[in-house]
Amino acid sequence: MRFNKAISPIKVLSFDLDDTLYNNHPIILNAIQAMQSYLQSIPEWAVQQGDYWLKCRRHIGETQPHLKDDVTNWRKVALEYGMSQLGLENKEVARHSVNAYQAFADARSNITVAQSVLSLLLALKKKYTLIAITNGNVEVDKFNLAGVFERVYLAGPDGAAKPDAALFERACQDLKVSPSEILHIGDSLDTDVRGANLAGCHSVWLDNQQTTYAYKGLADIEIQDIHQLACLK
């Protein structure tokens, strides 16, 4: 654990979810495969040339850029758009769009967080209020993080995506704390650390992704393993 800055007294620990508390890479791949398997079962979709899903997603991202802060609605709207281009009846467009998204969502939340991580969170919960702030669309109540967090803030429904300060500001308002009383832990310098820093919160960078980031600012604390947070107990 490396300290780059002194930390003022903390009341709230805020956690990113994907790739912070579990490895999200295989989960996303499985979720995309589940959605694609359903889509390929639709004859009109299956005969489309190239990566038709990617074309639909890109089209909606370009024509409705406001949806990029809400990955759930972006996916849903892109599916509806793609179906609507296939000559299907409206009821079939709606049915297939819902089913394709549900295939994705079910696999997306098929997660088991390691017992050691759960034990760490429950120990920290005795001293701090625990919340989650995520740009993703995982449904925490569907796996073994259910009940761990006081609140879960999702980009889109609860505010603009990190690194925008909106989700952090919402948390401060709801929990009646100052930004300096929140310590946010996440794996991304670009979204988690930058977002927390911009909001005036303290930040912990979990350096576990071997990724090159654009943000050159420093986290207040750097760790290589989530279990290093045990010193906060």
Side-chain angles (χ1 to χ4, degrees), residues 18 22-32 34 102-114 137-145:
D18 298 341
Y22 48 83
N23 179 6
N24 193 51
H25 298 285
I27 295 163
I28 283 292
L29 290 175
N30 289 338
I32 292 172
Q102 196 59 50
F104 173 87
D106 289 344
R108 176 73 175 90
S109 297
N110 184 17
I111 299 169
T112 301
V113 175
N137 54 0
V138 68
E139 298 176 69
V140 169
D141 289 342
K142 290 189 174 181
F143 60 103
N144 63 341
L145 280 179

Side-chain angles (χ1 to χ4, degrees), residues 109-127:
S109 297
N110 184 17
I111 299 169
T112 301
V113 175
Q115 186 57 50
S116 62
V117 174
L118 284 178
S119 297
L120 171 66
L121 293 174
L122 293 176
L124 292 170
K125 191 174 182 179
K126 295 177 181 179
K127 185 175 180 180

Side-chain angles (χ1 to χ4, degrees), residues 66-75 135 155-157 161:
H66 65 282
L67 288 175
K68 290 185 177 181
D69 275 338
D70 188 337
V71 291
T72 294
N73 277 332
W74 186 4
R75 188 173 297 274
N135 285 354

Side-chain angles (χ1 to χ4, degrees), residues 12-212:
V12 178
L13 295 183
S14 166
F15 288 87
D16 176 52
L17 297 174
D18 298 341
D19 294 319
T20 296
L21 298 180
Y22 48 83
N23 179 6
N24 193 51
H25 298 285
I27 295 163
I28 283 292
L29 290 175
N30 289 338
I32 292 172
Q33 182 57 54
M35 185 189 76
Q36 291 284 15
S37 294
Y38 180 85
L39 293 173
Q40 290 302 310
S41 73
I42 304 167
E44 294 87 349
W45 188 290
V47 298
Q48 299 303 308
Q49 298 297 312
D51 191 336
Y52 183 56
W53 160 247
L54 184 60
K55 292 177 183 177
C56 295
R57 187 176 187 276
R58 184 181 296 122
H59 173 79
I60 295 303
E62 291 172 351
T63 59
Q64 301 187 51
H66 65 282
L67 288 175
K68 290 185 177 181
D69 275 338
D70 188 337
V71 291
T72 294
N73 277 332
W74 186 4
R75 188 173 297 274
K76 287 180 177 179
V77 172
L79 284 168
E80 291 171 359
Y81 168 77
M83 296 295 175
S84 71
Q85 304 303 300
L86 302 179
L88 300 172
E89 294 183 4
N90 288 342
K91 64 179 182 179
E92 289 298 285
V93 169
R95 180 174 71 87
H96 286 311
S97 299
V98 168
N99 289 348
Y101 182 79
Q102 196 59 50
F104 173 87
D106 289 344
R108 176 73 175 90
S109 297
N110 184 17
I111 299 169
T112 301
V113 175
Q115 186 57 50
S116 62
V117 174
L118 284 178
S119 297
L120 171 66
L121 293 174
L122 293 176
L124 292 170
K125 191 174 182 179
K126 295 177 181 179
K127 185 175 180 180
Y128 306 95
T129 298
L130 302 191
I131 65 173
I133 295 180
T134 177
N135 285 354
N137 54 0
V138 68
E139 298 176 69
V140 169
D141 289 342
K142 290 189 174 181
F143 60 103
N144 63 341
L145 280 179
V148 170
F149 299 110
E150 182 75 19
R151 296 172 186 263
V152 177
Y153 295 94
L154 303 172
D158 297 315
K162 298 173 292 185
D164 192 282
L167 297 175
F168 299 98
E169 292 170 351
R170 172 76 181 274
C172 289
Q173 178 181 348
D174 290 347
L175 300 172
K176 296 178 172 56
V177 296
S178 66
S180 64
E181 292 175 310
I182 294 180
L183 178 64
H184 180 70
I185 302 100
D187 65 286
S188 172
L189 278 176
D190 289 342
T191 58
D192 293 303
V193 173
R194 185 183 180 196
N197 289 354
L198 287 173
C201 301
H202 291 298
S203 57
V204 176
W205 178 35
L206 174 59
D207 180 10
N208 66 350
Q209 294 300 306
Q210 297 182 345
T211 298
T212 300

